[in-house]
Amino acid sequence: MSSEEVQRLLCRFVSETGEVAGDMLDLPPECTFEQLTLICNAIHQKEERVPYRFFINENEITENLEKTWKLSSLKTENVVDILYQEQAVFKVRPVTRCTSSMPGHAEAVISVSFSPDGKHLASGSGDTTVRFWDIETQTPYHTCKGHKNWVLCIAWAPDSSKLASACKDGKIILWDPKTGNQIGKTLIGHKQWITSLSWEPYHRNPECRFFASSSKDTDIKIWDSVLFQCVMTIAGHMKSVTVVKWGGSGLIYSASQDRTVKVWRTNDGILCRTLEGHAHWVNTLALNTDYILRIGAFDPVKDVNKDTYMTDKKKSQDFALKRFKQVIEPIGERLVSGSDDFTLFLWDPEKDKKPLARLTGHQQLVNDVKFSPDGRILASASFDKSIRLWDSKTGKFLATLRGHVQAVYMVAFSADSRLMVSGSADSTLKLWDLKTRKLEIDLPGHADEVYAVDWSSDGLRVASGGKDRVLRLWQN
Amino acid sequence: MPQNEYIERHRKLHGRRLDYEERKRKREAREPHKRAETARNLRGIKAKIFNKQRRNEKIQMKKKIKAHEEKKNKTVSSENVSEGAVPVYLLDRDVKSRAKVLSNMIKQKRKEKAGKWDVPIPKVRAQADAEVLKVVKSGKSKRKAWKRMVTKVTFVGEGFTRKPPKFERFIRPMALRFKKAHVTHPELKATFCLPIIGVKKNPSSPMFTSLGVITKGTVIEVNISELGLVTQAGKVVWGKYAQVTNNPENDGCINAVLLV
């Protein structure tokens, strides 16, 4: 073997699930990232060019093969496994400026939410009103009065035809976003305030009829939004239920201040398992399917299915189901819970009541946790002023994002999982780049604490509301 | 002396007298008449005592009636919504009420330039030089009198080193140096013990300002980073002005009001 002979690396491409794509390849070490992308596209016979990210032993290939390969110190004789991750075809441009601050609420804005199709924006406030905003002209649209106390949480039906809002008195009202009128009568049943709302996934029922609510009075109730009555009351928690999530595979997940996460069957409300492990209140839950369940049948890639209630229901349901299956195919439905004991737990709630991983590192309580839309990364916001990124498959710690000077209340991902925005008590929003894991843009503007942040599903806008009573829209 | 509760025992065994209720009703019905008679006939100090007691009784009675009425009306008046709405995740936590973020930074800066503040104590008694500075005699025969000792509370920066005695014109006694002040936030109505950063202005004389003399009405700069105030850009505010409201040299502590 002469030294002048060109060095070759025996490589093969491996997907996240561990499947080998194509045959083994003899690649020159100076093979660049762009060339790898071309090869990978050719192997998968994609018509459009799909962006990828490549890893060797968890080191990302940024320039060429050789550099990363040397980093991971592998031998030449072995076959090099190149892990590829498909990225979103579309790219969300980072928001850079505040395009409008919309005053109107007479008290702190507590919850902000874009509709699944990204066409409507709603906000709930301490002045007992729910407001709809026109995001094209950035003006108020409807003011909905009906509640008698602070509107704590709002939730859009997956087909964007209804909005449910819940107040501190424990009452739920459904609103029509077109007219701003109340639909039916007020749903009364909870004895104390309602902590969260969650709709039935679109692929299970395209009618968008049922939703679950959790309350301080330790109950979870399932409501019928057509007959306006309570279908089922699920009791079992010992203390206030903090979050309820309606999963995509027929299970309801609930977290409570009694230190447990419980899994219920949706059909009959029977307790499937109790996930124990936390040492203090469980504050928040997130599913890796959260994003898919939220946007229902809306397709951010082709920008279709915006009027899901107009088109063929069967077709859009199939579409939603197909996409849901795509997401859960590699690892199933994953659950992560954040707690007052400064840790997070990663669960596989469908099969096991033992945690997959315990994510430690925060120095204060964890207030919010979210999966990225592609389900690869999870981000946790904590009162210790930092955001931490974790690998959602193994629970491995990836990075800490520091920059806020006070407690971080909420995070929101962009639809392409490349960016993230966070709202904090220090009155700013900050935009983070998930590739470099650095602060991209600082977004000051609010005069007081930011309570709620939401990124629209089409990725064009970010809305935020807080203690200073104005709703702000951010665009690029 | 009676042994045991024999009256109660008898009552339990045999019940009350048959006319007990009737007698009780009549006694109660007679009560106002009886009281009126005593009120009419009492004279002097006894009348005074009686009237005072009667007045107190009436006040108590009225209070009770009012309380009962409020209890009855409870359902009607619960419509107003409490202020200070917080999101769900903060509802079960006792969040300290924090001051608003500085309302108008530009206004504040302008004020700073003009050197004028809307201070809580606008008029301050001028401190004469003779009052603040005591002459210290020096020299072998104590003939020289160019040294001065500050007799008021002072703030001396952290890295300060005294000059050699030959050149030290102003002596600031260690016992009168202060590092912390009790600062009240006027909106929060809460007081914090905060470290002093510097003396911004002593209204009596610019020389006192440079010496760091703290008297009543002096504007000092304090470190408020532990209060957790933030600017609009999301930076922590750490220095803010406060005006001294007491006479520190008399009290042994500095009390001040934050200028918001």
Side-chain angles (χ1 to χ4, degrees), chain B residues 107-118:
Chain B
K107 211 188 263 175
Q108 182 132 0
K109 283 219 175 109
R110 206 175 288 158
K111 261 187 193 165
E112 211 163 294
K113 238 179 217 170
K116 274 182 192 170
W117 289 281
D118 221 3

Side-chain angles (χ1 to χ4, degrees), chain B:
Chain B
M1 290 289 287
Q3 303 295 311
N4 301 327
E5 303 289 340
Y6 65 92
I7 296 179
E8 268 84 54
R9 183 170 171 274
H10 184 270
R11 218 172 263 159
K12 274 176 191 160
L13 287 174
H14 308 289
R16 291 185 194 272
R17 282 174 64 137
L18 292 176
D19 61 350
Y20 170 78
E21 298 296 330
E22 181 70 7
R23 271 155 50 100
K24 194 180 166 206
R25 184 189 61 78
K26 284 188 171 168
R27 206 184 316 128
E28 271 168 16
R30 262 195 311 270
E31 185 63 32
H33 294 274
K34 239 183 168 173
R35 191 179 278 154
E37 199 176 358
T38 28
R40 250 183 286 133
N41 293 337
L42 280 178
R43 295 286 182 275
I45 183 79
K46 283 192 177 165
K48 263 189 172 171
I49 293 169
F50 178 84
N51 283 335
K52 192 178 178 194
Q53 191 196 352
R54 184 70 189 139
R55 180 170 167 269
N56 279 339
E57 273 173 23
K58 280 188 172 172
I59 289 172
Q60 290 306 319
M61 206 149 53
K62 275 190 183 155
K63 269 189 184 168
K64 213 176 226 175
I65 291 168
K66 219 173 196 179
H68 276 291
E69 270 173 4
E70 260 173 32
K71 223 183 253 173
K72 274 179 212 160
N73 292 342
K74 200 178 164 188
T75 46
V76 186
S77 60
S78 67
E79 279 204 350
N80 46 351
V81 185
S82 56
E83 274 186 24
V86 286
V88 185
Y89 48 81
L90 296 178
L91 267 178
D92 278 329
R93 310 185 187 284
D94 39 333
V95 183
K96 276 173 255 154
S97 66
R98 260 187 283 129
K100 258 179 266 159
V101 179
L102 307 175
S103 49
N104 200 333
M105 298 292 288
I106 301 163
K107 211 188 263 175
Q108 182 132 0
K109 283 219 175 109
R110 206 175 288 158
K111 261 187 193 165
E112 211 163 294
K113 238 179 217 170
K116 274 182 192 170
W117 289 281
D118 221 3
V119 286
I121 311 171
K123 273 191 188 153
V124 185
R125 191 179 64 90
Q127 307 273 342
D129 272 13
E131 194 183 347
V132 178
L133 306 172
K134 187 186 137 197
V135 179
V136 178
K137 295 266 172 72
S138 58
K140 196 174 181 185
S141 49
K142 301 287 173 224
R143 281 190 305 155
K144 290 166 182 159
W146 52 270
K147 264 189 189 228
R148 299 285 181 273
M149 179 151 71
V150 180
T151 59
K152 302 285 179 196
V153 163
T154 52
F155 170 76
V156 180
E158 207 154 274
F160 177 74
T161 329
R162 285 177 67 174
K163 287 197 179 70
K166 196 178 169 185
F167 302 108
E168 188 179 40
R169 197 166 164 228
F170 294 103
I171 303 169
R172 292 180 281 187
M174 288 299 289
L176 285 172
R177 292 185 188 177
F178 271 71
K179 281 187 184 137
K180 292 211 165 188
H182 302 294
V183 181
T184 307
H185 194 295
E187 280 173 27
L188 286 180
K189 305 261 185 306
T191 307
F192 307 89
C193 187
L194 303 173
I196 303 171
I197 298 170
V199 174
K200 177 71 185 165
K201 192 177 175 77
N202 189 324
S204 303
S205 119
M207 188 185 70
F208 293 168
T209 310
S210 58
L211 272 174
V213 178
I214 300 173
T215 54
K216 188 174 179 174
T218 305
V219 177
I220 54 174
E221 193 172 15
V222 285
N223 183 352
I224 56 158
S225 57
E226 62 187 78
L227 262 68
L229 293 177
V230 241
T231 61
Q232 294 225 309
K235 302 273 185 307
V236 174
V237 182
W238 72 287
K240 234 172 150 11
Y241 298 130
Q243 192 182 31
V244 177
T245 53
N246 70 334
N247 290 308
E249 68 277 8
N250 296 342
D251 301 349
C253 66
I254 302 174
N255 296 340
V257 180
L258 209 63
L259 307 177
V260 186

Side-chain angles (χ1 to χ4, degrees), chain A residues 374-387:
Chain A
D374 60 10
R376 289 195 185 111
I377 291 179
L378 59 94
S380 59
S382 162
F383 278 21
D384 66 3
K385 307 166 194 173
S386 71
I387 302 159

Side-chain angles (χ1 to χ4, degrees), chain A residues 162-174:
Chain A
K162 289 171 221 158
L163 177 87
S165 67
C167 73
K168 208 177 165 224
D169 289 341
K171 290 168 186 149
I172 303 170
I173 297 181
L174 292 157

